[in-house]
Amino acid sequence: MPDRADLTDPSGVSAAPPDAEPEGTAPPRRRRSLRRTLLIYLLAPLGAALAVNTAVTYRTALDSANQAYDRTLQGALLAISERVTVDDGLIRIDLPYSALEMLENDFQDRIYYRVSHPEQGEITGYPDLPEPLPGKRFGISRAISGEASSDEVHNRKPFFYETAYHGEHLRIAAQWRPLFYPGIRGPLLIQIGETQGARNQLARQLLLESLVKEGVLIVFAALLIAFGVLHALGPLRRLRHEVAARDPLDLSPLAADNVPSEVTPLVDAVNAHTARVRQLTDAQRQFIDDAAHQLKTPLAIIKSQADLAQRETDPLRLQRMVGDIGQTATATARLVQQLLTLARSDAAPPASQVLNLTELARQVTFDWLPQALARRIDLGFAGEVPCPVRGDEVLLRELVANLIDNALRYTPAGGVVTVEVSVERKTATNADKAVVLRVDDSGPGIGVDERERVFDRFYRPAGSSAPGNGLGLAIVRAIARRHGGEVGLDDGPEGRGLRVTVHLPAVGGENDAA
Ligand SMILES: Nc1ncnc2c1ncn2[C@@H]1O[C@H](COP(=O)(O)OP(=O)(O)OP(=O)(O)O)[C@@H](O)[C@H]1O
Ligand SMILES: [Mg+2]
């Protein structure tokens, strides 16, 4: 234990300036509606699926339309191919108009054809109709760019491709037809193409039919989802109405029977919170009853003392009576002060100022020196290092004062009382440190079985040696807890008297709520 300091030379470190902690003025956060979130998460993917499906359906519809019209195109190609003759080494074609007629449709699609040979050039048709390019690529891009695979070139099979021609988009059927005549080398290329009005119309019609079916399905699904979400959230709505319709004083638990299992923990947590509020309210009601009762007694005494004084004619006795009234009034004022302190420590906002507890306790001890002298008690203070704590200065002064008051009040004359402030490190690091205030005295102490009960409000062990209200230790505990700390009672040094120890979180420590 550090040496006890000379109290007439208070040279401790002064309290740090208050920490300015501006009130949180963040704008209120936008609340997300569960119903909206669920609907968005369910309906948005449904919409996306519809979009993808529309693209796929259109592609499939186009393929189906192509398949239907390609057959006619291929028929025309074969009809032309059958009309190829060779006369005197010259290739001739007797173009069958029936072949072109079969391609006619309601959409006035235009027909383009071309028959050409590598050696004899254009035989008939539109000479600039783009030829298929031999290539290796596959798929849509190949079909559109007019490339034919080498397989199609060598096996003489009819094939199809799409190409642009004079600003129009053509679908062309083509075939390399081998000619087995002496003197003629290379295959004949036959191409016949048409614009795609009819195909596109058919594809659009197929798409529309499928979209109507899907649309009905989607609307039905969306209605089901919306209904499901509203139905699932029904219990929450009912819960909200139940809570909103409650009497403000009704702190009974909410019924958790009809809520979904996901919400049960929330209802349980709310019920647990309500139970704590109920306990607190009950305790406060009890405290108010006790306080009123405690105040009634001294006020009744003052009244009867005043009644007596009114009837007293002897000036000396009257003076003594008025003195008694003054004393009772002083004691009552102290009781009121204690009740206010308790109410304040219960309701005080979170502690906010950084204070040096060493300096604060030294000053309070100094203030009590006259009482100590009057009672012939050796009151001393020990504590050299500054011990910063975060807290309310008035309440912490009250805490120290109550402990010194008790020590001086219950220690017989000639005794010793020591107030000490120090920092305790539970581990080697600074993170786990606490500020410790100890008040030791050499008085009668408190029996082990009374050490918990003396913290109850208005409780005084039978035969307490000095007058009091039974509130001092209750105030000390309420203030300590308000600051995140705790109070303990032990035997005093060398097993004599009482040691009261208050632990408070040190500023900068693990539990500092800064
Ligand atoms: N230092 C002490 N030594 C011995 N007994 C003590 C000491 N401090 C408290 N006590 C016992 O604990 C009881 C409760 O103390 P507490 O301070 O709460 O109330 P009080 O001192 O009786 O009244 P007051 O409200 O005026 O402080 C006291 O009545 C006393 O019997
Ligand atoms: Mg007391």
Side-chain angles (χ1 to χ4, degrees):
M1 188 205 280
D3 290 340
R4 289 165 52 138
D6 176 2
L7 287 173
T8 53
D9 177 24
S11 57
V13 178
S14 62
D19 261 7
E21 281 187 358
E23 286 282 313
T25 51
R29 275 200 292 161
R30 261 189 77 222
R31 287 198 188 86
R32 277 197 304 169
S33 144
L34 199 57
R35 187 176 51 192
R36 227 177 60 202
T37 310
L38 279 175
L39 286 177
I40 288 173
Y41 273 87
L42 291 172
L43 292 179
L46 205 64
L50 177 68
V52 171
N53 195 46
T54 305
V56 172
T57 307
Y58 184 64
R59 197 60 247 166
T60 319
L62 210 56
D63 283 350
S64 307
N66 275 339
Q67 262 177 23
Y69 282 90
D70 279 357
R71 246 177 254 131
T72 329
L73 211 53
Q74 192 174 350
L77 187 74
L78 291 177
I80 297 173
S81 161
E82 277 165 11
R83 295 302 189 93
V84 176
T85 51
V86 177
D87 192 4
D88 264 353
L90 276 183
I91 304 166
R92 287 182 198 286
I93 295 205
D94 177 14
L95 201 63
Y97 282 98
S98 61
L100 300 181
E101 268 168 19
M102 70 200 228
L103 293 175
E104 277 177 10
N105 58 37
D106 296 345
F107 291 91
Q108 275 139 25
D109 276 326
R110 276 171 295 287
I111 318 285
Y112 300 94
Y113 62 92
R114 176 179 177 235
V115 180
S116 57
H117 187 262
E119 284 179 346
Q120 298 190 16
E122 308 306 322
I123 313 293
T124 180
Y126 298 78
D128 55 349
L129 197 64
E131 279 189 21
L133 312 165
K136 285 200 180 65
R137 285 190 289 147
F138 295 90
I140 296 169
S141 62
R142 192 204 69 188
I144 290 172
S145 63
E147 289 180 16
S149 73
S150 44
D151 180 53
E152 286 158 350
V153 176
H154 290 121
N155 293 335
R156 320 317 196 205
K157 283 195 299 191
F159 60 93
F160 300 87
Y161 63 96
E162 286 165 30
T163 187
Y165 181 60
H166 292 303
E168 290 186 303
H169 203 69
L170 299 188
R171 173 100 174 155
I172 296 182
Q175 184 187 17
W176 270 281
R177 186 183 185 281
L179 289 174
F180 304 104
Y181 292 96
I184 298 181
R185 276 181 299 157
L188 193 66
L189 173 62
I190 308 168
Q191 296 161 270
I192 178 152
E194 61 180 355
T195 51
Q196 307 197 54
R199 291 161 191 262
N200 288 342
Q201 172 61 23
L202 179 59
R204 273 198 294 272
Q205 195 181 330
L206 290 175
L207 176 70
L208 198 71
E209 278 169 17
S210 124
L211 276 187
V212 168
K213 270 188 247 159
E214 275 166 19
V216 170
L217 212 68
I218 292 266
V219 168
F220 190 61
L223 284 176
L224 272 185
I225 287 176
F227 176 75
V229 166
L230 289 182
H231 180 73
L233 294 178
L236 283 186
R237 233 179 2 255
R238 280 195 292 280
L239 196 65
R240 188 188 73 198
H241 290 317
E242 191 193 324
V243 174
R246 271 189 165 219
D247 187 283
L249 295 178
D250 182 1
L251 291 176
S252 61
L254 294 169
D257 317 339
N258 294 325
V259 296
S261 58
E262 288 84 354
V263 183
T264 314
L266 176 67
V267 173
D268 288 347
V270 170
N271 282 343
H273 177 71
T274 316
R276 285 196 296 274
V277 172
R278 199 170 50 233
Q279 270 176 7
L280 207 71
T281 320
D282 289 350
Q284 277 177 348
R285 200 169 297 143
Q286 181 66 44
F287 176 63
I288 290 170
D289 289 352
D290 290 350
H293 179 76
Q294 295 289 326
L295 278 171
K296 252 194 294 184
T297 314
L299 289 177
I301 294 173
I302 289 176
K303 185 171 183 314
S304 61
Q305 283 174 330
D307 287 348
L308 274 178
Q310 264 181 340
R311 275 178 263 136
E312 188 54 65
T313 47
D314 178 38
L316 265 180
R317 289 235 292 271
L318 182 64
Q319 198 178 13
R320 216 173 40 239
M321 281 177 171
V322 172
D324 287 349
I325 292 175
Q327 268 180 14
T328 318
T330 308
T332 314
R334 180 168 177 269
L335 174 62
V336 170
Q337 177 56 40
Q338 282 180 312
L339 291 174
L340 285 176
T341 306
L342 262 180
R344 200 168 158 227
S345 61
D346 278 347
S352 60
Q353 196 179 0
V354 175
L355 303 157
N356 177 5
L357 192 71
T358 314
E359 184 52 28
L360 184 145
R362 189 203 305 274
Q363 286 171 8
V364 179
T365 312
F366 192 78
D367 294 343
W368 282 82
L369 273 180
Q371 281 93 324
L373 283 173
R375 289 186 54 81
R376 286 191 295 112
I377 289 175
D378 176 9
L379 173 62
F381 180 81
E384 276 113 44
V385 282
C387 294
V389 294
R390 191 173 289 278
D392 181 314
E393 184 176 353
V394 176
L395 288 181
L396 288 174
R397 277 182 184 278
E398 200 70 37
L399 180 151
V400 181
N402 269 287
L403 292 180
I404 297 177
D405 175 42
N406 276 353
L408 295 183
R409 193 182 291 219
Y410 300 109
T411 302
V416 182
V417 172
T418 306
V419 180
E420 183 197 344
V421 181
S422 59
V423 178
E424 225 173 54
R425 285 189 179 79
K426 291 176 193 141
T427 59
T429 65
N430 267 5
D432 204 10
K433 61 182 184 177
V435 169
V436 182
L437 165 78
R438 267 194 200 99
V439 179
D440 292 340
D441 66 53
S442 60
I446 298 178
V448 178
D449 46 343
E450 294 278 18
R451 283 184 189 167
E452 189 48 43
R453 294 203 63 193
V454 285
F455 286 106
D456 290 349
R457 293 171 179 191
F458 302 112
Y459 179 79
R460 311 193 74 217
S464 290
S465 59
N469 300 315
L471 286 176
L473 288 176
I475 289 173
V476 170
R477 177 180 266 182
I479 295 175
R481 288 188 173 167
R482 190 75 212 171
H483 288 77
E486 201 37 271
V487 194
L489 299 181
D490 289 293
D491 289 341
E494 297 152 30
R496 255 182 342 124
L498 185 73
R499 162 168 289 183
V500 188
T501 312
V502 181
H503 282 91
L504 294 173
V507 168
E510 202 175 43
N511 301 320
D512 173 25

